[in-house]
């Protein structure tokens, strides 16, 4: 299906009313003055341009993912084993190949019936109220249940996982940089380390059980796996598991909410998808570009480089604002317009290069199935003017923390 016949219109995000972080100036239609700029206060190089961010993603030798010491100089010794997001080749490649065995196209496709059943189950619970709180009723519990079942931990622990997510991405605006020159202050570092310790203890208990009683789940795969002839340490298993749990559901939670916000602003596209659901993937991809869930990635320079016309010395931290890059006029025509079906649409919502999001196929599948069911089930679905959406305050994210919806009608159930 093509949407070229529909008139593209700019999506006016009520950023201030909904509480979008001030750092996300591109959500308000403002363009960066230059693609790469040094923030003198924090010492961080902000990278906003699409070609510049692609260059960084494509060169892990010059731009390292091991950013702990640069972003938080006062952090105590911390065992980062298993944290894929902080690893460079060749160790990263070996561990990623191991974990990717749980996200093959065949295995992901096989989850479709379960995703469909869960979506109907969750919406059944919400029926009868005349309203739907999308985050609490569907967008959070659906993906967290799926990833919990993949890992092999109890889905009944969802309230605990929700608490961890909120601790990982606070509701309040991030404080100013720490005295040591990093982005994260001492209190923030201490809170993150405490959260990591508690999550590791949780997964260590389940990992110990898998060593005694193996199952067909991801935790069993991790405790039985070998890298260079050695089993992963308990810390590595815990770090990997917590990363998969958080990253495995937060993106989908925001993807679902952001797509609904786009369709609320442009109901003509919602009607088009109801008539022909084959157009839904294009709607999802455009929402990923326009309202990018994970806005921010970090890298550190290992040597002097030239980026966007700037000389960046070695040992510098870079903040890659992919949400801004996804609105770069050099790459995207009408960057503030919601244009499902734009071709090409090479957005960076899932990153690029060796750290491209492992769970991207699963997030897309969950989005396609859940949104398809949602749109069919509720022919009139819209935001509540008396109870508007509230966006996440954390500058690393763009997504709804609360998304009340008014609903009407339920014509029937089908399996997507």
């Amino acid at each position: 299906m093509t949407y070229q016949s529909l008139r593209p219109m700019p999506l006016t995000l009520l950023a201030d009313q909904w509480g979008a972080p001030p750092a996300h100036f591109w959500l308000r239609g403002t363009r960066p003055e230059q693609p790469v700029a040094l923030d003198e206060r924090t010492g961080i190089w902000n990278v906003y341009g699409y070609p510049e961010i692609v260059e960084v993603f494509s060169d892990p030798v010059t731009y390292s993912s091991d950013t702990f010491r640069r972003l938080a100089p006062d952090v105590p010794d911390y065992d980062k084993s298993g944290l894929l997001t902080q690893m460079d080749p060749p160790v990263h490649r070996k561990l990623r190949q191991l974990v990717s065995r749980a996200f093959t196209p065949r295995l992901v496709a096989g989850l479709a019936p379960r995703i469909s059943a869960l979506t109907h189950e969750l919406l059944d619970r919400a029926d009868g109220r005349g309203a739907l709180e999308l985050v609490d009723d569907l967008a959070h519990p659906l993906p967290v249940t799926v990833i919990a079942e993949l890992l092999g931990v109890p889905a009944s622990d969802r309230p605990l996982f929700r608490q961890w997510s909120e601790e990982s991405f606070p509701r309040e605006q991030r404080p100013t940089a720490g005295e040591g020159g990093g982005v994260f202050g001492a209190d923030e570092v201490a809170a993150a380390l405490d959260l990591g310790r508690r999550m590791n203890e949780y997964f260590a208990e389940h990992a110990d059980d898998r060593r005694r009683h193996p199952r067909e789940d991801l935790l069993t795969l991790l405790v039985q796996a070998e890298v260079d002839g050695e089993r992963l340490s308990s810390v590595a298993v815990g770090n990997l598991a917590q990363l998969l749990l958080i990253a495995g559901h937060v993106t989908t939670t925001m993807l679902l909410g952001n797509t609904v916000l786009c369709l609320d602003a442009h109901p003509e596209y919602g009607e088009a998808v109801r008539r022909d659901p084959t157009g839904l993937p294009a709607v999802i991809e455009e929402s990923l570009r326009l309202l990018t869930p994970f806005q921010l990635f970090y890298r550190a320079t290992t040597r002097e480089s030239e980026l966007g016309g700037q000389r960046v010395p070695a040992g510098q931290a870079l903040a890659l604002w992919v949400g801004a890059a996804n609105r770069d006029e050099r790459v995207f025509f009408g960057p503030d317009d919601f244009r499902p079906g734009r071709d090409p649409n090479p957005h960076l919502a899932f990153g690029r290069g060796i750290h491209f999001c492992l769970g991207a196929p699963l997030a897309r599948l969950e989005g396609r199935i859940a949104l398809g069911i949602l749109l069919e089930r509720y022919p009139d679905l819209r935001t509540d003017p008396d109870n508007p959406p509230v966006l996440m305050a954390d500058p690393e994210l763009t997504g709804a923390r609360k998304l009340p919806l008014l609903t009407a009608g339920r014509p029937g159930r089908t399996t997507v």
Side-chain angles (χ1 to χ4, degrees):
M1 175 181 178
T2 177
Y3 288 110
Q4 299 307 316
S5 61
L6 293 178
R7 180 169 58 93
M9 298 172 61
L11 175 69
T12 303
L13 175 63
L14 303 178
D16 294 319
Q17 179 179 334
W18 294 353
H24 298 168
F25 56 83
W26 48 90
L27 297 184
R28 298 167 172 87
T30 304
R31 298 279 174 263
E33 295 181 1
Q34 49 191 344
V36 179
L38 174 64
D39 183 336
E40 298 285 355
R41 181 181 63 84
T42 62
I44 302 295
W45 292 83
N46 289 311
V47 186
Y48 301 113
Y50 184 99
E52 291 75 20
I53 289 181
V54 168
E55 181 178 342
V56 173
F57 280 147
S58 302
D59 186 0
V61 175
T62 302
Y63 305 101
S64 170
S65 296
D66 186 358
T67 59
F68 265 31
R69 288 298 176 191
R70 183 60 190 88
L71 295 174
D74 299 325
V75 66
D77 289 337
Y78 181 69
D79 190 342
K80 298 179 296 181
S81 56
L83 280 180
L84 276 172
T85 55
Q86 288 286 313
M87 290 182 175
D88 295 320
V91 178
H92 170 270
R93 181 182 66 253
K94 297 173 182 178
L95 200 55
R96 183 181 171 98
Q97 287 174 344
L98 165 65
V99 180
S100 65
R101 289 162 53 188
F103 295 94
T104 64
R106 182 168 175 265
L107 289 175
V108 169
L111 295 171
R114 179 60 177 151
I115 295 169
S116 178
L118 275 171
T119 301
H120 282 300
E121 175 187 326
L122 291 166
L123 292 177
D124 283 344
R125 294 178 188 173
D127 270 347
R129 299 202 311 264
L132 180 71
E133 204 299 295
L134 189 74
V135 177
D136 288 342
D137 292 336
L138 178 65
H140 176 263
L142 172 65
V144 81
T145 299
V146 172
I147 194 64
E149 291 179 352
L150 277 174
L151 282 165
V153 295
S156 58
D157 285 342
R158 282 194 316 228
L160 178 61
F161 304 152
R162 180 69 177 269
Q163 175 188 329
W164 288 346
S165 296
E166 292 181 351
E167 289 186 58
S168 298
F169 307 106
R171 295 187 178 191
E172 302 300 325
Q173 187 71 30
R174 175 170 294 157
T176 57
E179 295 179 359
V183 171
F184 305 102
D187 290 345
E188 199 171 1
V189 170
L193 293 179
D194 178 66
L195 173 61
R197 176 189 56 76
R198 285 182 278 122
M199 294 176 72
N200 251 320
E201 289 176 353
Y202 173 89
F203 285 112
E205 181 179 342
H206 287 282
D208 288 342
D209 176 72
R210 296 309 185 279
R211 293 186 180 97
R212 297 189 299 267
H213 309 290
R215 302 181 193 173
E216 293 293 325
D217 58 30
L218 186 49
L219 265 181
T220 300
L221 171 68
L222 294 179
V223 300
Q224 292 181 343
E226 293 185 358
V227 176
D228 293 335
E230 294 185 3
R231 292 282 177 93
L232 298 179
S233 68
S234 295
V235 172
V237 170
N239 284 339
L240 259 176
Q242 62 179 274
L243 177 64
L244 292 169
L245 175 68
I246 298 298
H249 79 269
V250 172
T251 298
T252 304
T253 297
M254 293 185 289
L255 179 159
L256 292 172
N258 290 348
T259 304
V260 168
L261 287 175
C262 289
L263 292 178
D264 182 70
H266 298 281
E268 68 275 17
Y269 291 112
E271 291 304 314
V273 166
R274 288 184 177 95
R275 292 192 302 268
D276 184 357
T278 62
L280 187 52
V283 168
I284 291 172
E285 294 306 309
E286 181 66 345
S287 78
L288 284 166
R289 182 194 70 82
L290 200 62
L291 298 180
T292 305
F294 274 98
Q295 291 278 339
L296 185 58
F297 297 85
Y298 290 106
R299 294 293 186 268
T301 53
T302 62
R303 56 194 179 195
E304 184 180 273
S305 64
E306 183 173 341
L307 188 66
Q310 302 281 350
R311 271 295 193 203
V312 183
Q316 300 292 296
L318 280 67
L320 312 180
W321 296 96
V322 295
N326 284 338
R327 297 191 183 207
D328 193 325
E329 293 176 302
R330 295 173 292 175
V331 178
F332 300 99
F333 175 77
D336 296 325
D337 295 344
F338 182 59
R339 295 172 175 260
R342 66 167 68 231
D343 186 20
N345 188 4
H347 65 75
L348 300 173
F350 293 116
R352 180 69 66 87
I354 65 170
H355 285 280
F356 182 81
C357 179
L358 266 173
L362 177 58
R364 284 172 164 137
L365 179 68
E366 290 172 325
R368 179 179 66 81
I369 292 175
L371 289 165
I373 293 172
L374 190 71
L375 291 172
E376 181 185 45
R377 189 162 174 146
Y378 303 110
D380 185 9
L381 188 69
R382 60 193 185 278
T383 55
D384 184 349
D386 296 324
N387 193 9
V390 177
L391 298 188
M392 303 279 285
D394 193 297
E396 295 192 9
L397 308 175
T398 292
R401 179 165 59 83
K402 291 292 182 183
L403 183 46
L405 296 173
L406 300 176
T407 64
R410 181 186 171 190
R413 293 175 51 159
T414 60
T415 300
V416 177

